[in-house]
C-alpha cells in the first residue's frame, strides 16, 4: 500500500510540474490574441471596428507590450491553474476507469470533472486578467496590485475576488469536455499512422484541435463571464438569473452576433496557444516519466 501511495504521489507531482510548464507556454504564446478577444467582448459599442482594429489601435495607442496586458495575473496563477487542471484530469480519468485507454465519452466526462475543479482557481485569475485588459492606456489605469486591493476592500472575497465564479463553472465544464476530447480524438488519429512516438508537430496539431473544440464548446458563456467580471458592481440574483439577464442584455445591445464577439481571435489564439500547452505538457511529462518511471 505504501508503494502504491508513493507511486500515486510521484505521478501527481509529475502532472503538477508538467501542467505548470504547459500553462506558462500557453500564456506567453496566447496572451496577445487573448487581449484582442477580451476587448472585443467588453469594449464599449463603437470603440472598435472588429478584431483587426482592436489590434491596430492597441499597438498604436499603447504600444506592442499592451498586447500582453493582464499577463501578470495568469502567469502568476498559471502554475496553480494548469497544475490543478491537468492533475484533476489525471485523477478524474482514474476515478472513471482503472484502465488507461478511456473511450472518448469517458475522456469528455473526465474533462468536464477537471473543468469544474479548475474553476476554483481559474475564476479569480481570469477576473483580474479581464479587469487589466479592460483598461485602455488612460492615466487612471491601475496596476494589478491596486486592482486586487480595490476588489478585496470594496467587495470582499465572494463578490470581489471570486466574482463570476459560477459562470466560470458553467463555462469550464463543457469547455474542458471539448478540450480533452478534441485533443485525444486527433492524437488517436495520428497514432493510427505513427505507431511509435508521435512527432512534435502532431502534438501541436492535436493541442490546437483541442483548443478549437474548447471555444466552440463554451461560447457564448465566455462573453458573459468577461462582462460580469468587468462590471463595476457584482451581479445580483441567482447564477441562472444573472447569466440569463446578461445574455438578454448582450442580444439587446448587439443582436445574436453579440453573443459571439471575440470568437474569431479566440479560435485563432487557440491554434498556437493550445498547441504550445499540450506540446510543453506532453514533452515535460515524457521527460519526467523517463526520470521517475511513473
Amino acid at each position: 500500500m505504501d508503494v502504491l501511495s508513493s507511486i500515486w504521489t510521484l505521478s501527481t507531482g509529475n502532472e503538477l510540474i508538467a501542467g505548470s510548464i504547459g500553462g506558462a507556454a500557453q500564456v506567453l504564446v496566447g496572451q496577445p490574441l487573448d487581449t484582442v478577444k477580451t476587448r472585443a467582448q467588453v469594449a464599449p459599442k463603437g470603440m472598435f471596428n472588429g478584431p483587426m482594429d482592436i489590434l491596430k489601435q492597441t499597438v498604436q495607442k499603447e504600444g506592442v507590450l499592451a498586447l500582453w496586458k493582464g499577463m501578470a495575473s495568469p502567469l502568476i496563477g498559471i502554475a496553480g491553474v494548469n497544475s490543478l487542471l491537468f492533475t484533476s484530469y489525471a485523477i478524474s480519468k482514474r476515478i472513471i476507469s482503472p484502465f488507461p485507454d478511456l473511450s472518448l465519452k469517458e475522456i469528455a466526462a473526465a474533462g468536464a470533472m477537471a473543468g469544474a475543479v479548475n474553476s476554483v482557481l481559474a475564476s479569480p485569475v481570469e477576473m483580474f486578467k479581464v479587469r487589466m485588459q479592460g483598461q485602455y492606456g488612460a492615466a487612471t489605469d491601475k496596476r494589478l496590485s491596486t486592482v486586487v486591493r480595490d476588489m478585496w476592500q470594496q467587495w470582499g472575497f465572494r463578490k470581489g475576488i471570486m466574482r463570476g465564479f459560477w459562470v466560470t463553472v458553467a463555462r469550464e465544464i463543457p469547455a474542458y469536455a471539448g478540450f480533452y476530447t478534441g485533443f485525444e480524438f486527433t492524437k488517436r488519429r495520428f497514432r493510427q499512422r505513427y505507431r511509435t512516438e508521435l512527432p512534435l508537430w502532431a502534438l501541436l496539431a492535436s493541442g490546437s484541435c483541442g483548443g478549437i473544440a474548447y471555444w466552440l464548446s463554451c461560447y457564448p458563456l465566455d462573453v458573459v463571464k468577461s462582462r460580469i467580471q468587468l462590471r463595476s458592481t457584482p451581479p445580483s440574483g441567482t447564477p441562472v438569473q444573472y447569466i440569463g439577464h446578461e445574455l438578454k442584455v448582450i442580444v439587446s445591445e448587439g443582436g445574436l452576433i453579440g453573443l459571439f464577439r471575440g470568437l474569431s481571435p479566440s479560435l485563432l489564439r487557440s491554434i498556437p496557444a493550445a498547441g504550445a500547452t499540450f506540446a510543453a505538457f506532453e514533452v515535460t511529462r515524457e521527460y519526467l516519466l523517463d526520470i521517475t518511471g511513473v
Side-chain angles (χ1 to χ4, degrees), residues 28-70:
L28 292 171
V29 172
Q31 189 67 15
L33 283 172
D34 186 77
T35 299
V36 174
K37 179 265 294 185
T38 301
R39 289 186 168 186
Q41 292 174 337
V42 303
K45 187 176 181 179
M47 185 174 185
F48 299 112
N49 296 315
M52 290 304 297
D53 187 47
I54 295 173
L55 182 64
K56 179 181 176 181
Q57 286 198 44
T58 299
V59 172
Q60 286 181 343
K61 296 179 180 179
E62 303 171 59
V64 174
L65 291 180
L67 294 172
W68 279 267
K69 183 173 286 186

Side-chain angles (χ1 to χ4, degrees), residues 235-259:
S236 58
T238 66
V240 173
Q241 289 174 332
Y242 67 69
I243 290 172
H245 172 74
E246 199 65 38
L247 287 169
K248 290 179 181 178
V249 172
I250 293 169
V251 172
S252 67
E253 290 177 353
L256 290 176
I257 195 69
L259 296 173

Side-chain angles (χ1 to χ4, degrees), residues 151-250:
M151 290 297 286
W152 174 259
Q153 290 180 345
Q154 293 177 27
W155 304 106
F157 180 74
R158 186 172 66 86
K159 294 184 177 182
I161 304 300
M162 297 300 292
R163 182 176 300 178
F165 171 71
W166 287 112
V167 67
T168 303
V169 173
R171 183 198 71 170
E172 297 285 79
I173 290 174
Y176 280 109
F179 186 64
Y180 284 108
T181 304
F183 173 68
E184 284 293 335
F185 174 80
T186 310
K187 190 171 75 170
R188 290 177 186 185
R189 286 302 180 97
F190 280 126
R191 284 204 184 279
Q192 292 175 2
R193 180 174 181 180
Y194 300 94
R195 298 295 180 182
T196 57
E197 185 176 345
L198 288 181
L200 181 59
W201 70 264
L203 287 175
L204 289 168
S206 299
S208 297
C209 289
I212 292 171
Y214 175 100
W215 290 112
L216 293 177
S217 299
C218 73
Y219 249 75
L221 285 171
D222 188 69
V223 182
V224 175
K225 180 194 72 67
S226 295
R227 288 171 59 102
I228 286 174
Q229 291 180 325
L230 190 64
R231 286 176 51 164
S232 58
T233 58
S236 58
T238 66
V240 173
Q241 289 174 332
Y242 67 69
I243 290 172
H245 172 74
E246 199 65 38
L247 287 169
K248 290 179 181 178
V249 172
I250 293 169

